[in-house]
Amino acid sequence: ISECLVGSEMCIRDSSYQLAAVRSALSSTARVILKDHLEHCISDAVETGDDTFIEELNTAIDKYIN
């Protein structure tokens, strides 16, 4: 811990790797959630003739990309 407090190069590198891993895991999770949502919403929208699905899809894509 004391090495991290003084800013050791190894600690900074390890922290960078950990942050990259967390970012990748969050991105993968978001992708799974979005795909699952799309599968259900597409079938529901087709069955009910719901036109608001396109708006919801655009919102979901915008949130995922940002």
Side-chain angles (χ1 to χ4, degrees):
I1 295 176
S2 62
E3 290 179 7
C4 288
L5 294 177
V6 297
S8 104
E9 191 173 311
M10 180 63 102
C11 185
I12 292 169
R13 185 177 24 209
D14 289 344
S15 296
S16 296
Y17 292 149
Q18 290 172 355
L19 288 171
V22 168
R23 178 176 278 173
S24 176
L26 288 173
S27 181
S28 295
T29 302
R31 187 177 303 114
V32 168
I33 291 170
L34 181 59
K35 284 182 177 184
D36 182 65
H37 178 71
L38 289 176
E39 286 176 12
H40 290 94
C41 287
I42 288 172
S43 62
D44 290 347
V46 169
E47 287 177 11
T48 62
D50 185 6
D51 294 334
T52 61
F53 171 71
I54 298 298
E55 293 172 23
E56 292 175 2
L57 175 61
N58 284 328
T59 300
I61 290 171
D62 288 343
K63 286 182 180 180
Y64 178 73
I65 291 174
N66 292 329

